[in-house]
Amino acid sequence: MMLIGNLGKDPDVQYLEGNIAVAKFPLATTETYKDRTGKLISQTEWHTVVLWRGLADLAQKYLHKGSLIYVEGRLRTRSWEDKEGNKKFATEIVGDNLIMLDKRGDGHGGGYSPQGGGSQDNPEGFSGPDIPPLGDEPTEGLPF
């Protein structure tokens, strides 16, 4: 899964046994297109994102409600029974890579991947490519 969206609230970070950080937050993605009459239609989907260890620490330190991010990860569906014995399901995106798309003072986004690629020159310990701002207009000609 690759998603670009805005956080619906500040990350909820908890620490498990062994001081393992896990962050969870809702992410809104919006698709905008024109209908047959030319009217712009926007559809927003909400996703639950879960980040572990270093990514969770990064989220706690730098992300907040409204932050624009790019996240790569995999889908995970969990099931359980509630107190009344009803079967419940939750589908989450477990993030493996994260790039912050918000503008910082120097105009650069920041990214982090637990596999490496972070910059030691950057005092925050991560870096990202220059990312052009995303416009509000729908992009025509995309196959998706």
Side-chain angles (χ1 to χ4, degrees):
M1 296 285 308
M2 295 179 277
L3 299 172
I4 295 175
N6 296 92
L7 273 68
K9 67 178 188 174
D10 290 349
D12 175 26
V13 180
Q14 298 179 358
Y15 290 88
L16 305 178
E17 190 175 322
N19 206 29
I20 297 171
V22 60
K24 191 175 189 179
F25 55 86
L27 185 73
T29 58
T30 302
E31 176 186 10
T32 304
Y33 61 92
K34 289 183 182 178
D35 67 9
R36 291 182 180 184
T37 66
K39 180 181 174 188
L40 282 178
I41 306 292
S42 291
Q43 292 181 320
T44 300
E45 293 285 334
W46 287 93
H47 315 273
T48 301
V49 176
V50 178
L51 303 174
W52 290 87
R53 297 177 175 81
L55 286 177
D57 292 333
L58 179 84
Q60 182 177 37
K61 190 170 183 180
Y62 295 104
L63 300 182
H64 52 83
K65 180 179 179 177
S67 291
L68 180 64
I69 66 166
Y70 166 86
V71 64
E72 289 179 14
R74 60 195 183 281
L75 283 176
R76 178 183 69 188
T77 301
R78 300 181 293 118
S79 63
W80 69 94
E81 286 190 15
D82 66 10
K83 294 176 184 175
E84 290 81 36
N86 300 316
K87 194 154 190 166
K88 300 285 185 174
F89 294 91
T91 301
E92 303 163 328
I93 289 86
V94 179
D96 295 321
N97 193 8
L98 172 72
I99 299 173
M100 294 178 284
L101 300 177
D102 285 328
K103 295 232 182 272
R104 294 196 325 224
D106 59 4
H108 297 279
Y112 176 80
S113 172
Q115 289 80 26
S119 169
Q120 296 307 317
D121 300 327
N122 187 325
E124 296 167 348
F126 58 90
S127 64
D130 289 341
I131 299 171
L134 296 175
D136 291 334
E137 309 89 40
T139 306
E140 306 243 72
L142 289 178
F144 50 88

